[in-house]
Amino acid sequence: MEPLHRPNEGGGSSNRDVLTRDKVDPQYKWRLEDMYTSVDAWDADANTVLKLGEELAGLEGQLNQSADVLLKALRLQDDLGQRLSMMFAFARMRRDEDNTNPTYQALTDKAMSIAVQVEQAKAFLVPEILEIPETQLRSFLHANTELQLYEFVIDDLIRQKAHVLPTEQEALLAAAGEVTSAPGQIFTMFNNADLKFPMVIDDDGEEIQLTHGRYIQLLESSNQAVRKTAFEAMYKTYGEHKNTLAAVYGASVKKDIFYSRVRGYESARKAALDDDNVPVSVYDNLIAAVHESLPALHKYLNLRKRVLGLKELHLYDIYQPLVSEMKVKIPYDEAVSTVGEAISPLGEEYQRIARDGLKSGWVDVYETKGKTSGAYSWGAYGVHPYILLNYQDSLDNMFTLAHELGHAMHTYYSHENQPFVYSGYTIFVAEVASTCNEALLTHHLLSNTTDPQMRAYLLNHHLETLRGTLFRQTMFAEFEKLTHAHAEEGGALTPEWLSNTYYKLNEQFFGAECVVDEAIAIEWARIPHFYNPFYVYKYATGISASTALSQKILNDGPEASARYLEFLKSGGSDYPIELLRKAGVDMESPEPVRATLAQFSSMVDELASILEK
């Protein structure tokens, strides 16, 4: 399972000199020793994985013999998956502590290499299962009660049968995995380890080095010159590498198209959505609904321009808090306490598990030199979940904590209540758990203030969350749709084409009320999510679903909370659309998206009524 990232940029240290890891108090570091106490222990598991892979490969040609042989193969696959996910998570998270550390660069590469060997070893499995007549598969399931655990897995394989290749071809694709993962790996190393930003001037007039973690903090400055300088320095740096970054991203898109075509899909987008059994209409409905509601975004931008007293609103002006005179400083420990209170509608058990986890080695809190930027949650079956932060003492970072804690609790409940085969869940539902926590935090904070200025601050923050998660991620999703379609039609993804396309989208989304600065055209080059194809739209659908569910939790009480917790416990035991339908939201309808966009519009009006009295 890949790490679950928060969509909004953030993280970083407020200190001028980024800390080295040894200067951070151990209570604010995650405890990766809970996975492996040493690299030697990791190596031992690696050897076991290779042996299990050989054992699984030895079953090739035998799956149709009996239900017992099929069960043995599926159990071996689970054992391999569980061990390999632990190995990969440990190696990657150790590397994420310091991307310049050669030991964990090498361990991550080794994990990738072993994963490819395992994929080759089990490449026969799916094609061979699908060669068994469906009537025989059904008789196996009927005859062996232990095999019935895998009924949903087998049904899903049958659903996707047309896109599964013969064994030899599946083995060839598996062998190519290490090569085809290269674009994302190259971008990660370039972006986190090699890319160096210039010195800029901060709010105090002092020179500091621009970092990923400090960028958004600088854009939130009340000094437009500080915002502009940081914005231009960021994109000038990426622009200096535009040819390399276009080549890397272009290779990633070509990889997506290659896999979709060899599997017989009409497009890379269709292939990506089919994994979750999500209709392409859900993706298109999202884009259409957001375009319908762009006037609400423009209304918000116009309010921002009026309140900030700007003749022209630039893209570097849209992150500054509108209630700029309020300095809300929230140390990490205070954030932990406040988030713990906010999630009380989900019940005492949820609260207790979350609070205990945050004090028990789940979280790596502060930015340090070489550490991967941003925030994510990750976990491996058999160990507690983990959270990476780059915490600053800000309201936004408290919301990031709530967001990642939502992911972590989803992982906790899923792992506690599902066997390994169904313990993973898709991003489509993952973003519901994270943004539901954010919605509960917003409600808690708004309910506990009578200060109009604080209320305005919180409304502004929630509007920014919706702007960043619903509008911005949908714009990203549309960019992905355009880039893949262009390449599928034979077009070249040159830096010029990518930048022109991205700039036009920004004009569509922001141009009615905002100066669309030329520098923004290169922003596509710094978005890591683009290397996980057709991923970002799930942030937008997720926040729409969570808006509906959080309202049910707050309005309907324990019954709705119990339904929600059952959703968290369900893991990947059904398709995401069905899991959400059971929880009370129909995402095949555009209504949850429209309702969230309507909430955005009404909150703009409420904010205006406070700020323009």
Side-chain angles (χ1 to χ4, degrees):
M1 186 176 180
E2 285 291 311
L4 298 161
H5 299 265
R6 190 174 192 227
N8 298 347
E9 303 94 338
S13 168
S14 59
N15 298 328
R16 290 189 173 82
D17 295 317
V18 179
L19 293 172
T20 54
R21 191 159 184 83
D22 62 314
K23 301 297 184 186
V24 178
D25 189 315
Q27 69 175 313
Y28 299 115
K29 297 179 186 178
W30 53 23
R31 201 167 58 222
L32 300 187
E33 295 82 1
D34 293 345
M35 287 191 280
Y36 294 102
T37 55
S38 66
V39 173
D40 286 344
W42 187 97
D43 282 330
D45 230 7
N47 291 331
T48 301
V49 162
L50 293 173
K51 289 175 184 175
L52 290 172
E54 291 174 4
E55 186 178 350
L56 178 58
L59 296 176
E60 185 173 356
Q62 303 175 44
L63 301 188
N64 63 355
Q65 292 180 3
S66 70
D68 290 344
V69 175
L70 180 56
L71 177 62
K72 182 179 180 181
L74 291 170
R75 283 177 168 171
L76 276 170
Q77 179 179 237
D78 284 354
D79 196 359
L80 280 163
Q82 184 173 344
R83 291 174 186 273
L84 194 57
S85 68
M86 186 88 74
M87 287 168 54
F88 188 71
F90 177 83
R92 252 297 287 280
M93 285 193 274
R94 278 294 187 213
R95 193 192 76 183
D96 286 345
E97 291 176 347
D98 181 0
N99 282 275
T100 65
N101 186 318
T103 299
Y104 296 113
Q105 289 177 10
L107 204 67
T108 301
D109 290 344
K110 186 176 179 180
M112 290 293 296
S113 180
I114 293 171
V116 168
Q117 292 178 64
V118 169
E119 286 301 311
Q120 289 177 267
K122 68 176 190 176
F124 77 95
L125 191 60
V126 170
E128 194 167 313
I129 290 172
L130 291 176
E131 286 171 5
I132 302 171
E134 188 174 344
T135 53
Q136 188 178 352
L137 280 172
R138 299 294 176 200
S139 69
F140 282 177
L141 287 165
H142 181 73
N144 190 316
T145 54
E146 293 180 339
L147 185 61
Q148 288 168 14
L149 171 67
Y150 297 95
E151 186 168 8
F152 178 63
V153 172
I154 291 169
D155 286 344
D156 194 44
L157 290 179
I158 292 169
R159 178 183 69 84
Q160 298 185 77
K161 185 173 183 176
H163 305 293
V164 177
L165 304 178
T167 300
E168 296 80 7
Q169 293 178 34
E170 288 289 346
L172 187 62
L173 287 181
E178 202 165 0
V179 176
T180 56
S181 66
Q185 292 292 318
I186 292 167
F187 176 80
T188 297
M189 295 308 298
F190 174 82
N191 202 41
N192 290 306
D194 293 341
L195 191 62
K196 298 293 182 257
F197 298 104
M199 304 296 285
V200 294
I201 303 300
D202 70 2
D203 273 335
D204 297 324
E206 296 189 30
E207 196 173 48
I208 62 169
Q209 182 166 7
L210 181 64
T211 66
H212 291 291
R214 290 170 172 162
Y215 176 59
I216 293 299
Q217 184 185 12
L218 291 166
L219 287 194
E220 291 174 349
S221 168
S222 59
N223 185 331
Q224 190 180 47
V226 169
R227 302 195 299 267
K228 181 179 180 182
T229 300
F231 179 87
E232 291 177 346
M234 173 66 69
Y235 293 118
K236 182 177 184 292
T237 304
Y238 279 96
E240 289 168 350
H241 303 280
K242 65 180 181 181
N243 293 301
T244 298
L245 289 166
V248 175
Y249 179 58
S252 184
V253 171
K254 288 173 186 175
K255 175 259 297 180
D256 303 335
I257 295 169
F258 167 75
Y259 278 118
S260 68
R261 284 179 175 169
V262 297
R263 294 198 177 281
Y265 286 99
E266 62 192 63
S267 69
R269 186 164 64 115
K270 174 66 175 172
L273 270 63
D274 195 44
D275 278 350
D276 290 340
N277 197 21
V278 171
V280 171
S281 60
V282 172
Y283 199 104
D284 291 333
N285 286 344
L286 169 68
I287 292 173
V290 168
H291 275 274
E292 286 171 12
S293 295
L294 285 177
L297 176 62
H298 300 155
K299 178 171 66 173
Y300 174 57
L301 294 172
N302 184 265
L303 172 64
R304 175 170 283 280
K305 181 163 61 175
R306 297 196 310 270
V307 170
L308 295 178
L310 299 172
K311 291 182 179 178
E312 290 183 336
L313 185 74
H314 289 259
L315 290 174
Y316 47 77
D317 297 323
I318 63 177
Y319 289 90
Q320 182 192 354
L322 289 182
V323 192
S324 55
E325 66 272 18
M326 294 190 69
K327 299 294 183 183
V328 181
K329 186 177 177 67
I330 306 170
Y332 175 73
D333 291 328
E334 182 183 331
V336 168
S337 177
T338 302
V339 170
E341 294 167 5
I343 57 179
S344 63
L346 295 175
E348 290 181 9
E349 180 193 72
Y350 187 99
Q351 272 187 303
R352 175 182 54 78
I353 294 167
R355 283 174 167 161
D356 289 350
L358 293 176
K359 296 175 182 176
S360 305
W362 285 21
V363 192
D364 205 73
V365 179
Y366 296 112
E367 182 180 23
T368 52
K369 287 184 178 178
K371 182 177 174 181
T372 292
S373 62
Y376 67 62
S377 175
W378 206 354
Y381 196 78
V383 71
H384 59 76
Y386 288 94
I387 296 171
L388 178 141
L389 299 175
N390 284 274
Y391 193 83
Q392 300 167 9
D393 295 347
S394 70
L395 180 69
D396 184 66
N397 277 243
M398 180 166 69
F399 274 91
T400 298
L401 171 63
H403 180 104
E404 300 305 339
L405 181 62
H407 285 314
M409 293 300 292
H410 195 176
T411 297
Y412 177 89
Y413 273 110
S414 178
H415 288 190
E416 286 291 308
N417 292 277
Q418 295 294 329
F420 174 77
V421 65
Y422 300 126
S423 62
Y425 48 85
T426 72
I427 303 299
F428 196 97
V429 293
E431 291 311 312
V432 176
S434 55
T435 53
C436 184
N437 266 21
E438 290 194 72
L440 294 176
L441 179 57
T442 298
H443 174 80
H444 173 76
L445 295 173
L446 285 170
S447 300
N448 285 279
T449 181
T450 55
D451 181 356
Q453 289 297 94
M454 176 57 78
R455 186 170 185 83
Y457 191 102
L458 293 168
L459 287 168
N460 177 209
H461 183 273
H462 192 64
L463 287 167
E464 279 299 292
T465 297
L466 290 173
R467 183 189 64 76
T469 308
L470 189 45
F471 288 101
R472 181 170 166 81
Q473 301 303 318
T474 300
M475 186 181 78
F476 286 170
E478 190 168 1
F479 179 72
E480 283 193 281
K481 178 182 176 181
L482 293 169
T483 56
H484 284 75
H486 182 67
E488 283 165 340
E489 292 164 4
L493 297 179
T494 64
E496 291 73 25
W497 187 91
L498 291 165
S499 294
N500 288 338
T501 301
Y502 194 83
Y503 185 83
K504 287 175 184 175
L505 281 173
N506 273 272
E507 280 190 316
Q508 267 189 298
F509 275 70
F510 299 102
E513 292 291 343
C514 195
V515 176
V516 182
D517 305 273
E518 288 184 16
I520 201 65
I522 195 68
E523 188 184 32
W524 59 267
R526 66 177 281 258
I527 308 301
H529 296 326
F530 287 160
Y531 292 87
N532 191 343
F534 302 105
Y535 168 100
V536 294
Y537 88 97
K538 300 172 191 181
Y539 287 126
T541 55
I543 201 169
S544 301
S546 69
T547 297
L549 288 173
S550 63
Q551 289 303 307
K552 291 177 186 291
I553 290 164
L554 291 167
N555 296 332
D556 300 343
E559 183 181 338
S561 297
R563 251 194 335 266
Y564 177 75
L565 292 182
E566 283 304 310
F567 159 72
L568 297 185
K569 293 173 184 178
S570 297
S573 60
D574 204 343
Y575 297 119
I577 293 284
E578 294 306 317
L579 291 173
L580 287 171
R581 191 172 279 126
K582 291 173 191 174
V585 183
D586 182 7
M587 291 309 297
E588 287 195 81
S589 161
E591 288 314 306
V593 177
R594 287 175 176 159
T596 305
L597 290 163
Q599 183 192 73
F600 178 89
S601 183
S602 66
M603 290 181 81
V604 173
D605 293 337
E606 183 180 355
L607 182 61
S609 70
I610 296 172
L611 295 181
E612 298 187 312
K613 271 189 176 179

